[in-house]
């Protein structure tokens, strides 16, 4: 299995134009949120001794598996990602409770909007999206956005330097 630096560096090779990265700051969270909206139906209300009543849906399973992967790659980024995507799962629930037509229209509208931003960014970049060559790009994209935001906040400078050493600087 690749480590954090390898995954992010491979993904970064397709994302060296700052305008592309900025479109990803909005586009990728929209896509992830829309997937949680789509996966929040069907939902089942279950009683758990510790948690009380909770809603179980496919979104919850995808959230758990995805965040286990992120935590395995990097505990700090993984915990932050767990909190952010946990909020997304929470806010996806009310959308999934709408009638089927409304739920689909909202979820697919968000999904399409996110992808439009992605393709605008890749137009600036002049390169295809990373997932075209490596399907793991779909899983690494959200972590890349979080890492890039952390770099802008002055955090994780050693990680940023390693990614730039392997992939080149952001233009």
């Amino acid at each position: 299995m690749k480590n954090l630096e390898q995954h992010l560096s491979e993904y970064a090779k397709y994302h060296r134009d700052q305008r592309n990265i900025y479109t990803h700051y909005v586009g990728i969270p929209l896509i992830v949120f829309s997937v949680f909206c789509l996966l929040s139906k069907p939902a089942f209300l279950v009683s758990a001794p510790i948690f009380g009543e909770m809603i179980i849906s496919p979104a919850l399973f995808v959230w758990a598996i995805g965040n286990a992967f992120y935590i395995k790659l990097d505990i700090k980024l993984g915990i932050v990602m767990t909190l952010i995507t946990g909020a997304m799962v929470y806010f996806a629930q009310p959308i999934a409770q709408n009638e089927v037509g409304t739920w689909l229209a909202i979820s697919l509208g968000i999904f399409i909007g996110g992808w439009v931003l992605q393709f605008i960014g890749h137009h600036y970049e002049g390169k295809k999206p990373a997932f075209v060559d490596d399907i793991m790009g779909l899983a690494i994209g959200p972590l890349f956005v979080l890492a890039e935001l952390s770099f802008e906040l002055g955090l994780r400078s050693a990680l940023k330097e390693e990614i730039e050493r392997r992939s080149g600087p952001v233009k």
Side-chain angles (χ1 to χ4, degrees):
M1 184 171 146
K2 292 180 184 177
N3 65 25
L4 176 70
E5 292 82 5
Q6 291 167 323
H7 276 298
L8 291 178
S9 295
E10 285 300 312
Y11 192 87
K13 289 176 183 175
Y14 297 82
H15 304 87
R16 298 291 78 201
D17 186 299
Q18 190 66 57
R19 296 169 297 180
N20 188 20
I21 294 171
Y22 286 153
T23 63
H24 282 52
Y25 284 175
V26 178
I28 287 180
L30 286 175
I31 293 166
V32 171
F33 179 63
S34 71
V35 168
F36 286 134
C37 290
L38 289 164
L39 293 175
S40 291
K41 207 180 225 1
F44 305 97
L45 187 62
V46 296
S47 293
I50 297 172
F51 301 109
E53 286 189 344
M54 52 189 293
I55 296 173
I56 302 293
S57 70
L60 194 57
F61 292 104
V62 169
W63 173 82
I65 291 166
N67 286 299
F69 171 69
Y70 294 141
I71 289 170
K72 184 172 170 58
L73 284 176
D74 184 90
I75 189 77
K76 291 176 185 174
L77 289 174
I79 288 171
V80 173
M81 186 64 76
T82 299
L83 295 172
I84 292 168
T85 56
M88 288 181 177
V89 170
Y90 177 81
F91 288 112
Q93 298 303 315
I95 293 170
Q97 291 173 5
N98 283 299
E99 294 178 3
V100 171
T102 304
W103 158 72
L104 274 175
I106 293 169
S107 300
L108 292 176
I110 295 168
F111 185 81
I112 291 166
W115 278 109
V116 166
L117 287 170
Q118 296 301 97
F119 288 113
I120 290 170
H122 281 283
H123 172 74
Y124 290 129
E125 185 79 40
K127 293 181 184 172
K128 59 189 169 189
F131 77 88
V132 172
D133 291 331
D134 182 2
I135 197 73
M136 278 303 294
L138 293 173
I140 296 302
L143 196 61
F144 174 81
V145 167
L146 183 58
E148 286 291 326
L149 284 169
S150 71
F151 302 157
E152 288 201 26
L153 294 171
L155 305 170
R156 306 299 297 259
S157 58
L159 178 59
K160 178 182 179 181
E161 289 170 11
E162 180 60 20
I163 291 169
E164 288 184 348
R165 184 187 70 76
R166 294 178 184 207
S167 306
V170 172
K171 301 177 271 175

Coordinates of all heavy atoms in Angstrom, one line a residue, residues 3 8 13 16 21 37 54 56 75 78 83 88 91 113 120 122 124 130 137 140 144 157:
N3 N 2.1 5.1 0.8 CA 1.9 5.9 2.0 C 1.3 7.2 1.6 O 1.0 7.5 0.4 CB 3.3 6.1 2.7 CG 4.3 6.8 1.9 OD1 4.0 7.6 1.0 ND2 5.6 6.6 2.1
L8 N -0.5 11.4 -2.2 CA -0.7 12.9 -2.5 C 0.2 13.4 -3.6 O -0.2 14.2 -4.4 CB -0.5 13.7 -1.2 CG -1.6 13.5 -0.1 CD1 -1.2 14.3 1.1 CD2 -3.0 13.8 -0.6
K13 N 0.5 15.6 -9.1 CA 1.0 15.8 -10.5 C -0.1 16.3 -11.5 O 0.3 16.9 -12.5 CB 1.6 14.5 -11.0 CG 2.9 14.1 -10.3 CD 3.4 12.7 -10.7 CE 4.6 12.4 -9.9 NZ 5.1 11.0 -10.2
R16 N -1.2 21.2 -10.4 CA -0.1 22.1 -10.1 C -0.5 23.6 -10.4 O 0.2 24.5 -10.1 CB 1.1 21.8 -10.9 CG 1.7 20.4 -10.5 CD 2.3 20.3 -9.1 NE 1.3 20.1 -8.1 CZ 1.5 20.4 -6.8 NH1 2.6 20.9 -6.4 NH2 0.6 20.2 -6.0
I21 N -6.6 23.9 -8.2 CA -6.7 23.6 -6.8 C -7.9 24.3 -6.1 O -8.7 23.7 -5.4 CB -5.4 23.9 -6.0 CG1 -4.3 22.9 -6.6 CG2 -5.6 23.7 -4.5 CD1 -2.9 23.2 -6.1
C37 N -25.4 12.2 0.2 CA -26.9 12.4 0.1 C -27.5 11.2 -0.7 O -28.6 10.7 -0.2 CB -27.2 13.7 -0.7 SG -26.8 15.2 0.2
M54 N -30.5 5.7 16.2 CA -29.7 6.3 15.2 C -30.1 5.8 13.8 O -30.7 4.8 13.7 CB -28.2 6.0 15.4 CG -27.8 4.6 15.6 SD -26.1 4.4 16.1 CE -25.2 5.0 14.7
I56 N -29.2 4.4 10.3 CA -28.2 3.6 9.6 C -28.5 3.6 8.1 O -29.7 3.4 7.7 CB -28.2 2.2 10.1 CG1 -27.9 2.1 11.6 CG2 -27.2 1.3 9.3 CD1 -26.6 2.5 12.0
I75 N -3.0 10.0 10.8 CA -3.9 10.1 11.9 C -4.5 11.6 12.0 O -5.7 11.7 12.2 CB -3.2 9.7 13.3 CG1 -4.3 9.6 14.4 CG2 -2.1 10.6 13.7 CD1 -5.2 8.4 14.3
G78 N -6.6 12.3 9.0 CA -7.7 11.4 9.1 C -8.8 11.8 10.1 O -10.0 11.7 9.8
L83 N -14.2 14.2 11.0 CA -15.2 15.2 11.5 C -15.9 15.9 10.4 O -17.1 16.1 10.5 CB -14.4 16.2 12.4 CG -13.8 15.6 13.7 CD1 -12.9 16.7 14.4 CD2 -14.9 15.1 14.6
M88 N -21.0 16.0 7.0 CA -21.6 15.9 5.7 C -22.7 14.8 5.8 O -23.8 15.0 5.3 CB -20.6 15.5 4.6 CG -19.8 16.7 4.2 SD -18.6 16.1 2.9 CE -17.8 17.6 2.5
F91 N -25.7 16.2 7.7 CA -26.5 17.1 6.9 C -27.1 16.5 5.6 O -28.1 17.1 5.0 CB -25.7 18.4 6.5 CG -25.5 19.3 7.7 CD1 -24.2 19.4 8.2 CD2 -26.5 19.9 8.4 CE1 -24.0 20.2 9.3 CE2 -26.3 20.7 9.5 CZ -25.0 20.9 10.0
G113 N -22.9 19.9 -10.2 CA -22.2 21.2 -9.9 C -20.8 21.0 -9.5 O -19.9 21.7 -10.0
I120 N -13.8 22.6 -15.0 CA -13.3 23.9 -15.2 C -11.8 24.0 -14.7 O -11.0 24.5 -15.4 CB -14.2 25.0 -14.5 CG1 -15.5 25.1 -15.2 CG2 -13.5 26.3 -14.4 CD1 -16.6 25.9 -14.4
H122 N -9.7 21.6 -14.4 CA -8.8 20.8 -15.2 C -8.6 21.5 -16.6 O -7.6 21.3 -17.2 CB -9.2 19.4 -15.3 CG -8.8 18.6 -14.1 ND1 -7.5 18.2 -13.9 CD2 -9.5 18.3 -13.0 CE1 -7.4 17.6 -12.7 NE2 -8.6 17.7 -12.1
Y124 N -8.1 24.8 -16.8 CA -7.0 25.6 -16.5 C -5.7 24.8 -16.4 O -4.7 25.3 -16.9 CB -7.2 26.3 -15.1 CG -8.3 27.4 -15.1 CD1 -9.3 27.3 -14.1 CD2 -8.3 28.4 -16.0 CE1 -10.3 28.3 -14.1 CE2 -9.3 29.4 -16.0 CZ -10.3 29.3 -15.0 OH -11.3 30.2 -14.9
A130 N -7.0 13.1 -12.3 CA -6.1 12.0 -11.8 C -6.8 10.7 -11.9 O -6.2 9.7 -12.2 CB -5.6 12.3 -10.4
G137 N -7.6 8.0 -7.3 CA -7.7 9.5 -7.3 C -9.1 9.9 -6.7 O -9.2 11.0 -6.1
I140 N -8.5 9.8 -3.0 CA -7.4 10.7 -2.5 C -7.8 12.2 -2.7 O -7.3 13.0 -1.9 CB -6.1 10.4 -3.3 CG1 -5.6 9.0 -2.9 CG2 -5.0 11.4 -3.0 CD1 -5.4 8.7 -1.5
F144 N -6.5 15.3 -0.5 CA -5.6 16.3 -1.2 C -6.1 17.7 -0.9 O -5.3 18.6 -0.5 CB -5.6 16.1 -2.7 CG -4.9 17.1 -3.5 CD1 -3.5 17.1 -3.6 CD2 -5.6 18.1 -4.1 CE1 -2.8 18.1 -4.3 CE2 -4.9 19.1 -4.8 CZ -3.5 19.1 -4.9
S157 N 4.3 21.7 6.7 CA 5.3 22.2 5.8 C 6.2 21.1 5.2 O 6.5 21.1 4.1 CB 6.1 23.3 6.3 OG 6.8 22.9 7.5

